[in-house]
Amino acid sequence: MTIPTIQAGVDHVRPQDLADDAVALVRRWLAEGARVPVGASAAQLAGVLQDPSGLEFTVGFVDGVVRPEDLSVAARNLKALAPKVPAFLPWYMKSAVALGGTLAPVLPGVVIPAARKVLREMVGHLIADATDAKLGRSIAKIRKDGVRLNVNLLGEAILG
């Protein structure tokens, strides 16, 4: 497959040629990607995106349970979110969310830190803590393996 290039003063490239080449390139990427084994975290992320309520639940969990500093606020949010637990989670996680939603208002100091820890263990390899104490160390660890880094700041704090 060759990708047509437009040279100065030459306009012989047809849009259909570009489209055909783009389709061929995507097919090659899909074929190559199909040969790469899918890790557990990638499968979980795919589950989040395939479940109709997965993304909404995940964003709600991060914004409502992980982000608030006040454990009572996080506990109320977990209680409200628990009935909306998506089907992609394994039964034991769905059960833990349901139990956590019930117990959080009564024991926020126990339930919320546990819920936050579980989430961090699930997505810790995808997200770096941006606090002054941890960001530099996280970036150094990622770059040590020769990985190129893309930094995106998430959350309302950057919008204000």
Side-chain angles (χ1 to χ4, degrees):
M1 177 185 80
T2 60
I3 297 179
T5 57
I6 298 175
Q7 298 172 353
V10 179
D11 60 350
H12 64 278
V13 177
R14 296 177 323 129
Q16 185 60 44
D17 293 337
L18 292 174
D20 291 344
D21 286 344
V23 168
L25 181 59
V26 169
R27 285 189 175 139
R28 189 182 93 214
W29 288 342
L30 290 172
E32 289 176 11
R35 292 190 295 269
V36 176
V38 177
S41 61
Q44 229 170 17
L45 183 59
V48 168
L49 298 176
Q50 290 172 354
D51 191 291
S53 61
L55 186 59
E56 180 183 351
F57 176 85
T58 304
V59 170
F61 194 90
V62 170
D63 288 345
V65 180
V66 175
R67 190 181 314 274
E69 292 181 25
D70 186 319
L71 296 181
S72 297
V73 170
R76 283 193 305 274
N77 292 337
L78 180 56
K79 180 180 179 180
L81 197 58
K84 302 172 187 171
V85 67
F88 78 88
L89 286 175
W91 69 269
Y92 58 89
M93 285 190 161
K94 288 190 270 192
S95 299
V97 171
L99 181 62
T102 301
L103 295 177
V106 180
L107 298 168
V110 174
V111 174
I112 298 305
R116 290 173 175 174
K117 183 176 192 245
V118 169
L119 180 72
R120 283 191 184 98
E121 287 174 2
M122 288 173 62
V123 299
H125 63 290
L126 298 173
I127 299 172
D129 189 331
T131 59
D132 290 342
K134 296 183 180 179
L135 183 60
R137 193 172 35 212
S138 296
I139 290 173
K141 182 180 174 186
I142 292 167
R143 295 191 72 207
K144 176 183 72 168
D145 298 328
V147 175
R148 290 180 23 199
L149 187 61
N150 179 27
V151 177
N152 292 303
L153 298 176
L154 302 176
E156 307 81 35
I158 64 163
L159 301 176

